[in-house]
Amino acid sequence: MDSCDVLIVGGGPAGSSCAWKLTRGGLDTIVLDKSHFPRHKVCGGWITPAVLSELDIDIAQYAPGRTLQPIVGFRTGVMDAREVEITYGKPISYGIRRCEFDDYLLKRSGARLYCGANLTSIERSGEEWTVNGQIRARIIVGAGGHFCPVARLLGADARKETAVVAQETEFEMNLSERAACSIRGEVPELYFCPDMRGYGWCFRKGNFINIGLGRLDAHGLPSHVAEFLRFLKKRRKFDFDVPSPMSGHAYLLLRDMRHKIVDEGMLLTGDAAGLAYSQSGEGIRPAIESGLMAADAILAANGKYSAANLESYRARLKLRFGKSQSGLAVTLGRRLPAKLLGAISRQILANRWFSRHVVLDDWFLHLDEPALKTFIPLATQP
Ligand SMILES: Cc1cc2nc3c(=O)[nH]c(=O)nc-3n(C[C@H](O)[C@H](O)[C@H](O)COP(=O)(O)OP(=O)(O)OC[C@H]3O[C@@H](n4cnc5c(N)ncnc54)[C@H](O)[C@@H]3O)c2cc1C
């Protein structure tokens, strides 16, 4: 039998960020993950700069031997309509490969790692948990993604929830594929479905390319993906076949934030809590921020992990992300008939001002949301 102060289930960005802060705060932390790292994660691999500063990631130290593609702008539009290119003259995002990024964060966290270890049982005795009959801990952090078993224990049922469904493929292009690809690493491309219920992306990161599409409804996803690939070829974005089948995954958006994310000796972070931004589907930053905020709450609770003592975490999440829950695209998508919405979205997404200030600055880059370090914590709110 092993024991620790905090047991984190899941070593993705949420779990490793939480672990990183906890170990720096002096707590003995174990991360348990069913995969061996480095592991593949279905993802576009686009991150905003806040992620790097929140985790004190030194680019000069991270980049050697890994993919870190600076992004200075985006091409956007509605499929089959006019495209707009917006550039900012400086890096406003980065492209990473999740197999490298997640491995780096997890190893850097300073936690003790149980990798290749699926969570099979959680038992409560007094104020202590026993996991897999093997590890004892006073508090468990659920960071196991959309199908997190700890979230299930708090009542989540992933089969009944309306999630974003997405498919992607990431591969290294050979010389002739690189020559036949007009997408530039520093300017990725994003194209919305005419019904605004999803979008497709092309991220070129060094020699790698990541192509995918996510939608708010699971219905007909493969045909939307096929349509997107046809569109890209027609626009001569590339002239080769992408490997199929693509990998698929689902996750919850903020507007569907799970109600119970805190309980006695237990809390949820990242996709397990359903925190991805509603408009862009960006989930890495909310995963990291929630991991850091969960660590703050655990450190502040000082060994007394009642639900009441952990409640500040839920309140802080709400304060941080509450504003992002409603979105124009989501609202319009619900209210307007499909034909009208298609006509409107073709028009407004072809407009440079709208593309820059609404689509990019607000929906994708969250320029009005500073990195967590400069975020005012709950205790100091007026
Ligand atoms: C196709 C697609 C593209 C995306 N693109 C982007 C993007 O470009 N940028 C962005 O910001 N977000 C993107 N996202 C969202 C992003 O991938 C997630 O929001 C993010 O990974 C959430 O991090 P997490 O740590 O909460 O969970 P995860 O990254 O899912 O990590 C969960 C970990 O828990 C482990 N685990 C699960 N079950 C168990 C178990 N029973 N026992 C032990 N361990 C377990 C898993 O092995 C995994 O390592 C995309 C998502 C999809 C599906």
Side-chain angles (χ1 to χ4, degrees), residues 153-164:
L153 217 65
L154 293 193
D157 184 349
R159 291 162 310 173
K160 288 191 186 147
E161 292 161 331
T162 319
V164 165

Side-chain angles (χ1 to χ4, degrees), residues 182-202:
S182 68
I183 293 151
R184 289 126 63 207
E186 65 278 17
V187 184
E189 310 204 4
L190 309 169
Y191 297 102
F192 289 83
C193 303
D195 65 2
M196 296 300 283
R197 294 189 67 74
Y199 71 90
W201 64 84
C202 294

